[in-house]
Amino acid sequence: MNDVIGMKVRAKALEDSFFERENQELLRKLRDQAAREDQKRTLREALNVSDDKVLDVLVDFDIDTESIVAFGLVPFVEVAWADGSIHDKEREAILRAAEERGVTAGSTTYRLLQNWLLHQPDARLLEVWRHYSKELISSLGPESGSLLKDRVLGNAKAVAEAAGGFLGLGSISAIEKAVLEDLESTFD
């Protein structure tokens, strides 16, 4: 009889242990989900973006309010990667643009940007940038939207010219021209 009682006690302990682990996993998932929703809410407020799909991708890419300046540099990174690699002068042009926007070496934004310069970002990042930019432009109005377009495309062109063409005469390759035209279509 003691063996039966002992087995029941052990079985109950095993069952309790199983449900404790399952409960802990469910609690961890709930905490992760709450943290993700909190990050989306913060980005929604900071960026004035309401599209949950866009916010989900931003969270997936670890874009937060501190690194949003780097997000504004996505078109420059896209131009620099147009030919499949980044030249030193393109890297310098992008880092200079980041510095002009207040990005300091060692900051989260700087580290994120450095990562993008070392490893070509997933194409989804550019698509999210496009969506965000379109929403931003529509909220800015025509005059401010035009200024933003000129600034972004001017800086992107400077990155394309940075590597130089034949004898460093600042020509832009055909593939970089295509990327610039593609970026420009975002603003139409």
Side-chain angles (χ1 to χ4, degrees):
M1 193 66 153
N2 280 342
D3 286 341
V4 173
I5 294 173
M7 276 190 357
K8 286 183 178 181
V9 169
R10 284 190 297 276
K12 178 69 173 142
L14 182 62
E15 182 182 4
D16 289 347
S17 173
F18 171 78
F19 285 114
E20 178 63 25
R21 281 193 307 266
E22 190 173 294
N23 286 339
Q24 291 300 320
E25 179 64 19
L26 290 172
L27 284 172
R28 185 192 60 75
K29 285 181 181 180
L30 283 172
R31 285 185 193 112
D32 290 349
Q33 184 179 6
R36 183 177 181 85
E37 290 302 316
D38 188 49
Q39 189 175 359
K40 283 173 57 175
R41 182 184 44 74
T42 301
L43 286 169
R44 182 179 289 113
E45 292 169 3
L47 303 177
N48 196 25
V49 171
S50 59
D51 189 324
D52 273 337
K53 289 179 185 176
V54 171
L55 294 168
D56 281 330
V57 174
L58 289 172
V59 170
D60 289 345
F61 279 104
D62 286 331
I63 301 291
D64 58 19
T65 53
E66 187 178 337
S67 59
I68 199 62
V69 173
F71 189 64
L73 299 169
V74 167
F76 314 149
V77 173
E78 185 71 14
V79 169
W81 278 106
D83 63 0
S85 64
I86 295 184
H87 301 281
D88 288 341
K89 290 184 180 183
E90 290 172 325
R91 181 176 282 104
E92 290 169 14
I94 292 170
L95 292 175
R96 191 170 38 257
E99 187 177 294
E100 289 170 2
R101 288 161 177 77
V103 176
T104 57
S107 68
T108 302
T109 304
Y110 189 85
R111 290 191 311 269
L112 179 62
L113 182 58
Q114 285 284 39
N115 189 44
W116 291 345
L117 295 175
L118 292 172
H119 309 284
Q120 186 171 9
D122 185 293
R124 292 186 310 154
L125 184 62
L126 180 64
E127 290 308 310
V128 171
W129 173 83
R130 285 181 200 283
H131 188 83
Y132 167 69
S133 295
K134 287 178 181 182
E135 282 195 27
L136 179 62
I137 289 167
S138 70
S139 70
L140 288 175
E143 188 175 324
S144 296
S146 180
L147 290 172
L148 177 65
K149 173 185 175 180
D150 292 345
R151 182 172 184 208
V152 168
L153 294 177
N155 283 318
K157 184 177 179 188
V159 169
E161 291 173 337
F166 182 67
L167 299 176
L169 297 176
S171 68
I172 299 173
S173 71
I175 195 162
E176 288 172 329
K177 283 181 185 176
V179 170
L180 288 169
E181 289 170 5
D182 187 47
L183 289 172
E184 186 171 7
S185 71
T186 300
F187 297 95
D188 295 334

